[in-house]
Amino acid sequence: MDEKPKIEPFKGPAGGWGSVRSVESILTREGRLISGNALLLKQNKPDGYACVSCAWAKPAEPHPFEYCENGAKATAWELTTKRVTPEFFAQHRIAELRTWTDHQLEEAGRLTHPMRWDRASDTYVPVSWEEAFREIGQELKGFEPDEVVFYCSGRASLETSYMWALFARLYGTNNLPDSSNMCHESTSVALPESIGDPVGTVLLDDFDTTDCIFFFGQNVGTNSPRMLHPLQEAAKRGVPIITFNPLRERGLERFTNPQAPTEMLTGSETRISSQYHQVRAGGDVAAIMGMAKALIEADDRARTDGKAPVLDHAFIAEHTNGFEDFAQAARRYSWADLEREAGLPREALEAAAAEYARANAVIAVYGMGLTQHRTGVENVQMVANLLLLRGNIGKPGAGICPVRGHSNVQGQRTVGISEKPELVPLDRLKEQYNFEPPRKKGLNTVEACESIIKGDVKAFLGLGGNFVRAVPETQAMEHAWSRLRLTVQIATKLNRNHLVHGEISYVLPCLGRIEIDEQETGPQALSIEDSTTCIHGSKGFANPASPDLLSEPRIVAELAKATLGQTADVPWDEWVAHYARIRDAIEQTYPEDFRDFNARMWQPGGFARPIGARERKWKTKTGKANFIVPKSLEETLGIADAEHDVLTLITVRSNDQFNTTVYGYHDRFRGIKGTRRVILINRNDMVRLGLEEGEMVSLRTAVDDGILREVTEMRVTPYNIPEGCCASYYPECNPLIPLWHHAERSKVPAAKSIPIRIARGGTQIPEAAE
Ligand SMILES: Nc1nc2c(c(=O)[nH]1)N[C@H]1C(S)=C(S)[C@@H](COP(=O)(O)OP(=O)(O)OC[C@H]3O[C@@H](n4cnc5c(=O)[nH]c(N)nc54)[C@H](O)[C@@H]3O)O[C@H]1N2
Ligand SMILES: Nc1nc2c(c(=O)[nH]1)N[C@H]1C(S)=C(S)[C@@H](COP(=O)(O)OP(=O)(O)OC[C@H]3O[C@@H](n4cnc5c(=O)[nH]c(N)nc54)[C@H](O)[C@@H]3O)O[C@H]1N2
Ligand SMILES: [Mo]
């Protein structure tokens, strides 16, 4: 519940004592202080378990405490001593639970039994696993394959994901949307065109030798805190770190390493960013174009003056395509236009370009601040363009570094979770399992939502996630959801999507990755792929939350058997008895990526999948890396400024949440305590719109499609954010995102640029209020 809200600037660094206190309080609350602490020592170690929080790389020589505040919170959350039992469900009707907050629902504890919704009592009632599998299998036999959606959250291991994708294809559909569709799909569409691979090229070692780091729209202190270690080391070496972000995120400003005793005692902290540019939301294409313009024009001048070139012409000639068109475009844009679009002065962009030009090896890091825009794909391609100008891909200390979200979100795409059949070796699957895989494109997340609203989808199976809460257009989605015939959610904790359910609805509780997974041949291990394409093994250590839990591989195998019957060519039971056999199967399907999988997964630091771009082998249509001229700038330049009462809303994560999982109400780094219902806004915009600090307002989407989208009771909070932009939390603001408001081509919902108006007392603020 919201305590009395307190909003005041946070003066400390990221990390530090605040971080230690935060971890202790959550371990205590979840009843895990003593045993939890010991377990944390196993986190992200070669012989331990892979953290269930973020996807950041795990070093070969880990720190004694290779976990962060948020990894510790995620662990405590999973290992809580609280339980959601059949008695809990008997006491609370679904209609009542629907009034609970996201925090209250998950805080209730771990699910312990398979449950089925009972219409008469409007409760979930316990059911045996046998009965659950039998009924779900029976139901699934009745649909057309393309009427069913097989959603996968990015947390599922490589083994489970591979089985899930195979189950869907044996069933006859490529309807395999995943959380990546809301996340880094813009990367997966952009990078193959730019450099021929869908993933980043940077390895952890590159941070040791880089001499400049750029950061675009990624909040490292909150979302991948372990990455602060290599950043801190780089900063201490004097490496410039140049950040583009509308908000001044604390982790990108200063850091005290909570695991360094002297730093903690002396209160010393490291500056992280050497330049911090508060770009306008959605202004990155213009900002990067400005830097490119500065570099290209400096190179033009050097050439006329007979001085050393600024660009790497040898690399451009040998390895790239499209440079001239790109350079022409950069020269053509006027500084006035670029400044206005980026919301930054020319001097700032020139200063950033000058650092870039001085460095021999540059890393560019980015996150949701680039991918979740209508221009998400172009944003990513602009980062690649910038790097290509000086050959910063495929050499030590340099490269592109998309920071993935979920701990295995990148890996599950590697092993077949994709709605795009051309990305999956279907012929190999056909041969390996002796069936005819479906060749028709499946539904991604946005398309799945459209089809659910239209009524074309009849059943939804969710392997993790809180789909209906994480997607846009909350109101229409929740409404449409109840018309689904069958919903099945495999989960560890109760969430909103279990309460908004179909006619026949099951919640199937599974083991978490930290728990001991005992099967016929003994305890089993799983594996994941991190943001830098390194693959790691993971062993559970904790006792399962309940004797009635099944592992994810087991649940998938039983569902598949109940639906498809025993298929001789897929040894489901053998796989469940010994997960190493699943890894053998993965290796057979993907021999290049997973050579000696079972042996190499325990290698310290993991083993890296081979990535062509790392060796300057470009798997693009041109056979080279491509400069790509963005189209969006042409489209926005010259259009009169948006209406003056429309603001661009960015939805962000707090330091006290993991996606829709809300641990608590203290966003320490942003100084917001006791509430999440805030609208962070520039003081000048407050004056302009006649808003008072602390006033409660409604936000309404400023689009004209006949649908009223509104979020009420948001507290006006003055904040250091560019004029014209405002920020608030996800998922509270998801009702404001129209389903059609997504990145072009990748269809990632544009959660970082929602046009809104602020309304007071249910009516819009009259213009006269200015
Ligand atoms: N503790 C914790 N860790 C997590 C998660 C979590 O919820 N909690 N979620 C996980 C997942 S699934 C993901 S995908 C990642 C997400 O991690 P991030 O990629 O960091 O995503 P966000 O928190 O959404 O923050 C995006 C950042 O982009 C900035 N930004 C917004 N708009 C723009 C823009 O137009 N331009 C630029 N340059 N910047 C902009 C915002 O101010 C914010 O700092 O984190 C993962 N790790
Ligand atoms: N407005 C806005 N919307 C966004 C975003 C944004 O920045 N702004 N970000 C988007 C992004 S990047 C993402 S990734 C999505 C993610 O959004 P979510 O779907 O919320 O993410 P998850 O963390 O996958 O889902 C949490 C649920 O997973 C279940 N769970 C936890 N651990 C396990 C496990 O080990 N196994 C199983 N089977 N279940 C488990 C728990 O029941 C928990 O309730 O949200 C997207 N939506
Ligand atoms: Mo994500």
Side-chain angles (χ1 to χ4, degrees), residues 291-328:
M291 287 190 273
K293 180 180 178 68
L295 292 161
I296 289 164
E297 291 181 353
D299 189 71
D300 291 344
R301 284 193 301 277
R303 188 186 300 244
T304 354
D305 301 348
K307 294 203 180 118
V310 176
L311 307 182
D312 184 342
H313 290 287
F315 173 84
I316 291 172
E318 187 186 343
H319 288 290
T320 71
N321 183 64
F323 171 71
E324 265 318 314
D325 286 348
F326 180 73
Q328 284 303 344

Side-chain angles (χ1 to χ4, degrees), residues 241-412:
I241 299 177
I242 298 162
T243 294
F244 288 82
N245 194 314
L247 303 179
R248 291 197 72 93
E249 304 287 25
R250 182 50 42 90
L252 287 159
E253 295 187 310
R254 301 181 265 131
F255 175 53
T256 292
N257 185 347
Q259 295 158 11
T262 33
E263 279 183 35
M264 292 294 281
L265 289 174
T266 58
S268 69
E269 50 188 43
T270 311
R271 69 86 191 151
I272 298 294
S273 297
S274 51
Q275 290 184 20
Y276 207 117
H277 302 295
Q278 286 180 269
V279 64
R280 198 175 63 78
D284 299 85
V285 170
I288 302 175
M289 191 56 93
M291 287 190 273
K293 180 180 178 68
L295 292 161
I296 289 164
E297 291 181 353
D299 189 71
D300 291 344
R301 284 193 301 277
R303 188 186 300 244
T304 354
D305 301 348
K307 294 203 180 118
V310 176
L311 307 182
D312 184 342
H313 290 287
F315 173 84
I316 291 172
E318 187 186 343
H319 288 290
T320 71
N321 183 64
F323 171 71
E324 265 318 314
D325 286 348
F326 180 73
Q328 284 303 344
R331 292 182 193 110
R332 202 171 58 234
Y333 289 116
S334 76
W335 276 111
D337 283 345
L338 295 174
E339 285 181 319
R340 195 188 56 250
E341 284 300 304
L344 293 169
R346 172 179 178 172
E347 294 69 33
L349 299 175
E350 285 179 336
E355 285 289 19
Y356 177 85
R358 264 196 291 277
N360 287 319
V362 179
I363 289 176
V365 178
Y366 67 89
M368 297 301 100
L370 291 196
T371 60
Q372 294 178 334
H373 280 284
R374 288 187 72 86
T375 56
V377 173
E378 291 200 336
N379 288 350
V380 173
Q381 293 183 330
M382 278 306 287
V383 175
N385 290 336
L386 177 69
L387 292 170
L388 292 176
L389 287 173
R390 283 176 51 84
N392 278 310
I393 296 207
K395 73 179 175 193
I400 193 156
C401 183
V403 182
R404 304 276 166 163
H406 263 300
S407 48
N408 191 38
V409 65
Q410 183 166 311
Q412 57 185 221

Side-chain angles (χ1 to χ4, degrees), residues 219 222-223 244-245 249 282 284 368 373 653 657 659 752:
N219 186 9
T222 286
N223 296 326
F244 288 82
N245 194 314
E249 304 287 25
D284 299 85
M368 297 301 100
H373 280 284
R653 294 164 161 77
Q657 81 185 79
N659 298 335
K752 301 293 188 259

Side-chain angles (χ1 to χ4, degrees), residues 47 210-211 297 397 405 443 553 613-614 681-682 717 727 755:
D47 66 339
T210 187
D211 47 23
E297 291 181 353
L443 301 171
R614 248 177 224 151
I681 177 171
N682 185 296
T717 307

